[in-house]
Amino acid sequence: MTTRFLLLLLLFFLLSLSFFHLYSKDWDGPWKLPFRTSDILPLIPFSALRPILSSVYSAVDLLPTFVGSVSSPENSLEWKGACFYNNSAWMEFHNKSKSPYGGGTLHLKVSNAHSWTCLDLYAFATPFHLTWDYYFLSREHTIEFHEWEGEAEYEYVKHHGVSIFLMKSGMLGTLRALWDVFPLFTNTGWGENSNVNFLKKHMGAKFEERPEPWFSTINVDDIHSGDFLVLSKIRGRWGGFETLEKWVTGAYGGHSAVCLKDSDGKLWVAESGHANDKGEDIIAILPWEEWWSFELNKDDSDPHIALLPLHPNLRAKFNNSAAWEYARSLDGKPYGYHNMIFSWIDTTSGNYPPPLDAQLVASGMILWSKVMPDYAANLWNEALNKRLGTEDLDLPDIIVETEQRGSSFAKLLAMPEQDDWIYSDGSSTSCVAFILQMYKHAGLFDPISTSIQVTEFTIKDAYTLNFFENNSSRLPEWCNKEDSVKLPFCQIKGKYRMELPDYNTIQPYPHMNEKCPSLPPNYDRPIYC
Ligand SMILES: *[C@@H]1O[C@H](CO)[C@@H](O)[C@H](O)[C@H]1NC(C)=O
Ligand SMILES: *[C@@H]1O[C@H](CO)[C@@H](O)[C@H](O)[C@H]1NC(C)=O
Ligand SMILES: *[C@@H]1O[C@H](CO)[C@@H](O)[C@H](O)[C@H]1NC(C)=O
Ligand SMILES: *[C@@H]1O[C@H](CO)[C@@H](O)[C@H](O)[C@H]1NC(C)=O
Ligand SMILES: *[C@@H]1O[C@H](CO)[C@@H](O)[C@H](O)[C@H]1NC(C)=O
């Protein structure tokens, strides 16, 4: 599950940074002021800042700079900032919280400012925490980590330290604005209420309570190969991660899995993004009983789960042996991160809810690659290189190369993923791409399957396909049995009634979802995008 946390962190970064346009050129404006423009920028209101910034900085200059990481009082780090030329930092562990792993204090000493108006803005990151601060005065400052999230964070900080990034000072305005707009990110915990409130406020989700029991008593005879499972997690870091994913993509679910029956009639669940014993996210085929008992009893993210039975016509079309063949060929392979982000970026500006944009994505990628180099080595670079037709360029080089070709990073991100691209660790399948690829093999997209790129589909794109049962009298009798409101699908777990707007409505068409914008709060979708 660790890697999911990292994705969370990335999104968190994306939200925590600023937004600028990439294609700015150096510019000598009419600024004859007694201080450097870049020093005074943080003091200007943010709305006025944006046009100035995009003309002052060039793309690569805007990216955050990794200055290093600190893990103990013994090895202090020293560096030169943009404003303060003499800085040092060290880490002290403490147990003020009286918790199993204690917490820590990061000390920073900044001095030798080059001008009286300048300041330095920093982000501090572990895979579990992100915070930021800015320094105006020469003195010692501290960043408090009251309590580590658990053994994983404690061990991480002991061995790898807290990563420190120097940000462009112009980002201060956005950081402040974000903190006000998105209370989710100010809460230290990813409590259920912060997730629910965020989704209510920013997506218009309802979260109506349903009558108990909050789980179905299921007869597995009524479940068939190809039936789709939508999961929506609302508590803990998984919940926090999914909340961001939902908000960005407009999906009312954050994870998905698919049912498969074998030739003996035994029911299985195939899932891309299953956490194995070692904490890695893999593709797995699990017996239904094992999967369901985990979701009922052990999953601490309070998963809400809906079963979407295939329409009988599609069930008849579903080639079960081809589906199994596909699932077995990927069993045990790593979850696909390469293309995850590309499934929601289709247009250069229609997929970024403010204040996200391509620049921010680039900043997030840079931060990520420093906090988790083992995982990040090829995370997006490989996918971006494929789009450019290059090999082994790192992110800043990719941006430079893109601009030299007269294009922009935003356009590069918007280029559609090709399902047949093979990455160094195999083909890349996110949870929903895995299921739709299986549908493709099983013949559900025939006769247009060659012009469907499933990596372009989000979870919402999957549940809005008109593939599912549309006659409520054919739903299993245990389906929504205790609920007074009859949903068109079977919600099998969860306190709140699940919503899947536009469920089961869209007939697939060639090049579906390759050019769709997705902007909150309405996520309007042009037909045939
Ligand atoms: C930088 O700061 C350190 C620690 O505060 C100090 O020992 C050192 O002399 C300073 N260096 C300069 C060039 O001012
Ligand atoms: C912190 O204090 C608590 C309670 O005194 C103790 O149980 C825990 O082991 C301590 N943690 C560390 C890391 O020292
Ligand atoms: C189903 O898939 C298998 C394996 O890919 C294939 O051999 C078989 O011909 C397919 N059946 C139909 C009816 O298309
Ligand atoms: C369900 O779908 C089928 C085929 O897609 C269609 O013929 C039928 O009219 C639909 N039924 C309802 C109740 O919408
Ligand atoms: C829905 O299914 C029931 C039971 O199979 C059937 O009697 C009814 O005609 C179907 N309704 C439609 C609109 O297809």
Side-chain angles (χ1 to χ4, degrees), residues 27-308:
W27 176 74
D28 287 311
W31 303 95
K32 293 279 177 279
L33 301 169
F35 39 75
R36 298 188 198 179
T37 329
S38 54
D39 288 350
I40 201 72
L41 285 176
L43 307 175
I44 300 176
F46 187 67
S47 51
L49 206 56
R50 188 174 176 142
I52 304 177
L53 280 171
S54 54
S55 49
V56 170
Y57 291 115
S58 84
V60 179
D61 292 345
L62 278 173
L63 300 175
T65 316
F66 175 64
V67 297
S69 50
V70 279
S71 54
S72 72
E74 289 78 46
N75 63 48
S76 90
L77 175 73
E78 284 170 27
W79 72 97
K80 181 169 180 270
C83 168
F84 295 95
Y85 285 166
N86 189 11
N87 307 286
S88 57
W90 65 98
M91 187 75 213
E92 175 204 351
F93 286 82
H94 61 61
N95 194 3
K96 292 177 193 159
S97 55
K98 300 268 173 280
S99 54
Y101 300 100
T105 306
L106 176 66
H107 298 263
L108 286 110
K109 199 164 182 178
V110 306
S111 61
N112 295 18
H114 71 73
S115 97
W116 59 272
T117 53
C118 71
L119 58 76
D120 273 340
L121 177 60
Y122 288 98
F124 307 95
T126 77
F128 300 84
H129 274 100
L130 171 79
T131 186
W132 61 278
D133 207 348
Y134 60 94
Y135 305 115
F136 210 71
L137 300 173
S138 289
R139 65 176 176 87
E140 191 182 321
H141 304 268
T142 57
I143 294 285
E144 197 57 47
F145 296 87
H146 183 66
E147 183 179 341
W148 305 121
E149 277 294 308
E151 187 179 2
E153 185 175 31
Y154 173 67
E155 290 294 327
Y156 181 93
V157 176
K158 261 196 347 199
H159 293 115
H160 306 282
V162 172
S163 303
I164 304 177
F165 300 88
L166 179 62
M167 317 291 289
K168 295 306 156 193
S169 56
M171 292 183 173
L172 179 60
T174 318
L175 288 175
R176 276 198 189 139
L178 276 164
W179 240 246
D180 294 340
V181 177
F182 303 113
L184 184 67
F185 310 117
T186 56
N187 294 341
T188 46
W190 296 93
E192 187 160 309
N193 284 338
S194 18
N195 287 299
V196 167
N197 291 336
F198 183 91
L199 293 169
K200 278 185 180 167
K201 179 160 175 209
H202 295 283
M203 282 182 81
K206 293 201 191 76
F207 286 100
E208 291 163 343
E209 261 193 53
R210 339 185 274 160
E212 292 199 65
W214 292 329
F215 58 90
S216 299
T217 307
I218 292 170
N219 178 356
V220 294
D221 295 343
D222 298 325
I223 302 184
H224 304 275
S225 276
D227 290 354
F228 194 101
L229 292 158
V230 181
L231 288 86
S232 171
K233 307 190 170 189
I234 58 174
R235 190 193 297 149
R237 279 183 301 270
W238 270 85
F241 172 79
E242 288 197 1
T243 295
L244 297 179
E245 187 184 355
K246 288 168 191 165
W247 174 62
V248 166
T249 61
Y252 279 66
H255 184 50
S256 53
V258 66
C259 301
L260 278 178
K261 277 208 164 156
D262 63 17
S263 46
D264 300 332
K266 182 173 159 55
L267 183 62
W268 301 76
V269 174
E271 181 178 32
S272 177
H274 172 79
N276 68 9
D277 305 338
K278 295 187 208 123
E280 301 158 336
D281 286 333
I282 56 160
I283 297 171
I285 307 175
L286 309 161
W288 165 266
E289 292 73 21
E290 186 185 319
W291 185 86
W292 181 231
S293 131
F294 176 82
E295 296 305 340
L296 276 184
N297 307 312
K298 299 214 187 99
D299 193 335
D300 56 14
S301 65
D302 191 10
H304 284 52
I305 308 177
L307 174 82
L308 319 182

Side-chain angles (χ1 to χ4, degrees), residues 244-459:
L244 297 179
E245 187 184 355
K246 288 168 191 165
W247 174 62
V248 166
T249 61
Y252 279 66
H255 184 50
S256 53
V258 66
C259 301
L260 278 178
K261 277 208 164 156
D262 63 17
S263 46
D264 300 332
K266 182 173 159 55
L267 183 62
W268 301 76
V269 174
E271 181 178 32
S272 177
H274 172 79
N276 68 9
D277 305 338
K278 295 187 208 123
E280 301 158 336
D281 286 333
I282 56 160
I283 297 171
I285 307 175
L286 309 161
W288 165 266
E289 292 73 21
E290 186 185 319
W291 185 86
W292 181 231
S293 131
F294 176 82
E295 296 305 340
L296 276 184
N297 307 312
K298 299 214 187 99
D299 193 335
D300 56 14
S301 65
D302 191 10
H304 284 52
I305 308 177
L307 174 82
L308 319 182
L310 276 186
H311 190 281
N313 295 349
L314 280 112
R315 185 175 299 147
K317 206 171 169 184
F318 193 86
N319 185 332
N320 203 33
S321 53
W324 270 102
E325 216 169 85
Y326 172 75
R328 285 206 184 95
S329 74
L330 288 177
D331 193 12
K333 295 255 165 59
Y335 174 77
Y337 292 108
H338 298 289
N339 51 25
M340 148 132 213
I341 203 159
F342 299 101
S343 68
W344 56 265
I345 303 174
D346 292 348
T347 67
T348 49
S349 62
N351 298 107
Y352 305 99
L356 285 185
D357 80 352
Q359 175 60 45
L360 216 57
V361 174
S363 300
M365 288 173 175
I366 297 262
L367 297 177
W368 172 287
S369 65
K370 293 300 176 187
V371 177
M372 251 7 233
D374 296 351
Y375 289 93
N378 259 327
L379 208 57
W380 288 289
N381 288 2
E382 213 178 327
L384 291 169
N385 273 296
K386 284 210 187 292
R387 282 168 170 73
L388 273 177
T390 51
E391 265 175 44
D392 297 333
L393 294 186
D394 65 11
L395 192 56
D397 288 340
I398 288 170
I399 295 173
V400 170
E401 175 71 25
T402 315
E403 293 197 334
Q404 275 172 357
R405 295 188 190 180
S407 185
S408 71
F409 190 61
K411 286 188 191 143
L412 188 67
L413 287 176
M415 282 174 65
E417 175 88 11
Q418 302 298 311
D419 289 353
D420 57 3
W421 281 351
I422 307 285
Y423 292 91
S424 53
D425 57 0
S427 53
S428 195
T429 48
S430 64
C431 65
V432 66
F434 170 70
I435 299 170
L436 293 175
Q437 194 69 263
M438 176 190 290
Y439 280 6
K440 223 165 134 174
H441 280 83
L444 298 194
F445 284 105
D446 287 347
I448 56 160
S449 71
T450 52
S451 38
I452 292 282
Q453 295 295 335
V454 299
T455 40
E456 294 291 326
F457 283 62
T458 63
I459 293 170

